[in-house]
């Protein structure tokens, strides 16, 4: 790195804002993770900690904040869905990350094969059964076994980078 380049550094024990900003320099897609509870009530939240884990068996993971109101339902649900958002779904991403929004009342959705809600017009969806839950500090690492994956290969993803929504563009 050139000597005059802007440079910021986090070290263990120093301020968490800098750590957050460092982690935010990893560009991601955006998903909404959904499930229903034992009473059939839908739950969902915006998640960008989505990672593929294994092809055989087919596993993926998401990290769920332990203090999220959705966390008890998601961690105990037998099945969940990861809805990968496309460029036009920024309003859904905001709604599913904002407290006291009527998340499912204002977003078109349907019930998937496993019972978990699927957001209409998503770029892709992974319908999963719970495979494992691992402790991860202030988050739980929810590992799902993919039962069904479907996607539209023609539409562009919604992206998140440095705390802002982004779109792909090619010059
Ligand atoms: C782009 C983006 C990515 C997020 N990723 C995660 C995540 O990976 N895990 C998580 O627990 N919360 C994540 N959040 C925060 C939750 O969406 C947010 O706290 C939500 O309101 C929690 O809902 P609940 O408390 O009603 O369950 C993210 C928010 C945004 C905007």
């Amino acid at each position: 790195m050139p000597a005059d380049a802007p440079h910021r550094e986090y070290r263990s024990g120093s301020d968490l804002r800098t750590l957050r900003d460092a982690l935010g320099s990893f560009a991601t897609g955006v998903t909404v993770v959904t499930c229903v509870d034992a009473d059939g009530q839908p739950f969902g939240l915006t998640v960008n900690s989505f990672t593929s884990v294994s092809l055989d068996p087919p596993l993926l993971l998401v990290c769920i904040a332990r203090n999220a109101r959705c966390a008890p339902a998601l961690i105990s649900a037998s099945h969940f869905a990861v809805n990968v958002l496309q460029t036009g779904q920024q309003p859904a991403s905001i709604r599913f990350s904002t407290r006291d929004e009527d998340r499912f009342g204002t977003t078109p959705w349907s019930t998937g094969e496993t019972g978990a809600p699927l957001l209409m017009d998503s770029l892709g969806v992974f319908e999963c059964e719970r495979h494992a839950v691992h402790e991860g500090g202030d988050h739980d690492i929810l590992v799902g076994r993919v039962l069904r994956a479907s996607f539209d290969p023609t539409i562009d993803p919604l992206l998140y980078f440095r705390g802002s929504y982004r779109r792909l563009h090619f010059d």
Side-chain angles (χ1 to χ4, degrees), residues 30 45-49 63-65 67-71 93 96-99 103 139 160 165:
V30 182
L45 80 169
T46 302
V47 161
N48 71 341
S49 58
C63 299
I64 305 297
N67 66 4
R69 289 177 301 178
C70 295
S93 178
F96 279 83
S97 58
T98 305
R99 286 237 151 153
R103 296 179 181 180
H139 282 57
Y160 200 70
Y165 292 100

